[in-house]
Amino acid sequence: MSETQDENTRPKQNFLLKLAAKARGAKYKKANPGPAYAYPMGLWFTLFFVVPLIIIVAYSFMKRDVYGGVLREFTLKAYQQMLVPHTA
């Protein structure tokens, strides 16, 4: 009985193996469009998140002006004031 089952399943297995081999060799499987889809998202992320974050960090190291503006001088005064405990 097992011999007849093996004979009946062999053509199906051969067909499935041939089908799988064709699928592996298909042209649509070789191209990976992932980077092409990720590039615009990475550009927007960089433009609207990373660049403003860099600007904020840069401003945090600049000296404050008398009238509320910013002088382009490097200083750590803001970070020193943040670490000093204030008693009110």
Side-chain angles (χ1 to χ4, degrees), residues 9-20:
T9 58
R10 272 196 195 132
K12 291 179 185 177
Q13 288 175 349
N14 289 338
F15 173 74
L16 292 175
L17 289 174
K18 288 178 184 177
L19 187 64

Side-chain angles (χ1 to χ4, degrees), residues 53-66:
L53 192 61
I54 291 171
I55 292 170
I56 290 169
V57 170
Y59 268 93
S60 74
F61 286 106
M62 292 182 188
K63 189 174 182 181
R64 189 169 56 173
D65 191 15
V66 176

Side-chain angles (χ1 to χ4, degrees), residues 19-33:
L19 187 64
K22 284 183 183 179
R24 276 189 243 122
K27 289 183 180 179
Y28 69 91
K29 289 277 188 176
K30 291 181 182 179
N32 183 6

Side-chain angles (χ1 to χ4, degrees), residues 60-76:
S60 74
F61 286 106
M62 292 182 188
K63 189 174 182 181
R64 189 169 56 173
D65 191 15
V66 176
Y67 299 107
V70 177
L71 299 174
R72 292 190 173 131
E73 296 177 20
F74 179 79
T75 182
L76 292 172

